[in-house]
Amino acid sequence: MRKKIVAGNWKMNKDLDEGLKLASELVNMIKDEVVNDVNIIIASPFLYLNSISKLLPEDLNIFLGAQNCHEKESGAYTGEISAPMLKSVNVSYIIVGHSERRQYFKETNEVLAQKVNVLLKNELIPIFCCGEPLEIREGGNPNSYVVKQLEESLYHLSDEQINNVVIAYEPIWAIGTGKTASSQQAQDMHAEIRKSLQEKFGKEIADNISILYGGSCNPQNAKELFACKDVDGGLIGGASLKARDFLEIIKSC
Ligand code: PGA
């Protein structure tokens, strides 16, 4: 059975005090209110990971996430953060290839494949993001665009390795825009992704990979999106910055 996952991507928001306050509010609410079996991930800015890790009780399904990492394990890469560094502060999941990184930092499918490799080597779980821009949704072939992202960054992996990857489908036109994909659009793409995984890795593996939806997911639309057969949870941006909203999304999963 594949896992249900709700991950909060704080992006470049909150200072240290605000971040710690949000994390501890969340922990308390989760303790009191969350009864469903869902893995919850907090992907804060790098700077606060170590402090937040100390707030997460071991008996709750809350895990620490990072928003990026460098593709090399160590060396002369001024300003960068490596997979072993993240591991040493108890991070378990790392978002890889978010569309903002692809767009503003020119991350290519090839570099993302290297990031996935270094994470798996260090026993960390990549949350690999894929998704098409608006012009492809409107005039192109979104399915083959997304499948190509998977092929070029993930399909060199072994069966054992792909089992440890989470995929997030995030249509770029839905991120931070308030324009969510309809549940039908989300389900169709998730089914396409699973079909492609099945062709490459077989049915058993494809059925076990969690595929999250991201893009303007909020407490109002989460339930319908998460009810789709191939949607196994969400990657949440804006709504993860408010403890109550994020909690309601978690409860909808
Ligand atoms: P959003 O962001 O929920 O603010 O649209 C999602 C994401 O970028 O992961």
Side-chain angles (χ1 to χ4, degrees):
M1 258 290 278
R2 53 188 183 252
K3 277 197 202 95
K4 289 181 176 185
I5 299 172
V6 176
N9 173 12
W10 292 5
K11 307 193 181 182
M12 197 173 71
N13 293 296
K14 306 279 179 196
D15 66 16
L16 177 62
D17 286 348
E18 292 165 346
L20 293 180
K21 184 163 169 274
L22 174 57
S24 49
E25 268 173 17
L26 253 175
V27 167
N28 289 331
M29 287 179 172
I30 289 165
K31 257 190 217 153
D32 291 345
E33 297 181 44
V34 173
V35 289
N36 53 349
D37 184 18
V38 47
N39 282 1
I40 300 159
I41 300 165
I42 297 179
S44 79
F46 288 132
L47 269 180
Y48 322 145
L49 289 169
N50 194 34
S51 311
I52 292 178
S53 114
K54 301 191 168 88
L55 300 176
L56 306 183
E58 279 183 11
D59 58 341
L60 292 183
N61 286 339
I62 315 181
F63 302 90
L64 204 54
Q67 300 171 19
N68 180 34
C69 81
H70 195 265
E71 62 272 22
K72 295 280 185 340
E73 281 191 301
S74 65
Y77 301 99
T78 301
E80 291 296 319
I81 303 284
S82 72
M85 290 175 191
L86 295 172
K87 179 123 185 138
S88 75
V89 294
N90 298 319
V91 168
S92 350
Y93 292 83
I94 290 90
I95 300 170
V96 176
H98 190 282
S99 64
E100 288 149 17
R101 302 242 21 122
R102 292 174 187 262
Q103 182 182 355
Y104 304 131
F105 304 96
K106 308 291 171 240
E107 293 188 359
T108 60
N109 288 341
E110 192 186 354
V111 164
L112 299 176
Q114 292 170 29
K115 293 192 183 204
V116 168
N117 290 345
V118 81
L119 291 172
L120 292 171
K121 181 171 173 218
N122 286 279
E123 296 178 330
L124 293 162
I125 303 175
I127 302 179
F128 179 78
C129 300
C130 54
E132 79 288 355
L134 186 61
E135 64 273 18
I136 297 287
R137 168 62 57 175
E138 285 178 343
N141 185 337
N143 292 358
S144 58
Y145 185 94
V146 167
V147 167
K148 186 162 186 275
Q149 291 177 320
L150 303 179
E151 283 169 355
E152 293 186 357
S153 300
L154 297 181
Y155 283 8
H156 62 287
L157 298 176
S158 67
D159 290 2
E160 199 189 333
Q161 287 174 314
I162 193 79
N163 266 324
N164 293 314
V165 173
V166 173
I167 293 175
Y169 168 58
E170 299 204 301
I172 298 173
W173 45 272
I175 296 177
T177 57
K179 254 199 225 169
T180 326
S182 68
S183 50
Q184 191 60 51
Q185 284 172 320
Q187 168 56 28
D188 288 351
M189 185 61 85
H190 283 230
E192 189 65 29
I193 292 170
R194 207 176 300 285
K195 184 172 130 230
S196 168
L197 288 167
Q198 180 173 332
E199 280 161 15
K200 172 72 188 164
F201 297 102
K203 183 164 168 35
E204 198 182 330
I205 289 176
D207 281 347
N208 272 317
I209 295 180
S210 300
I211 308 177
L212 316 183
Y213 169 79
S216 298
C217 193
N218 61 39
Q220 288 72 44
N221 60 29
K223 212 178 184 73
E224 189 182 331
L225 286 160
F226 296 164
C228 298
K229 184 169 151 276
D230 287 293
V231 177
D232 306 307
L235 179 54
I236 317 301
S240 72
L241 296 172
K242 291 192 189 128
R244 174 49 60 192
D245 285 1
F246 191 51
L247 192 89
E248 292 307 322
I249 295 173
I250 294 165
K251 284 159 74 177
S252 309
C253 193

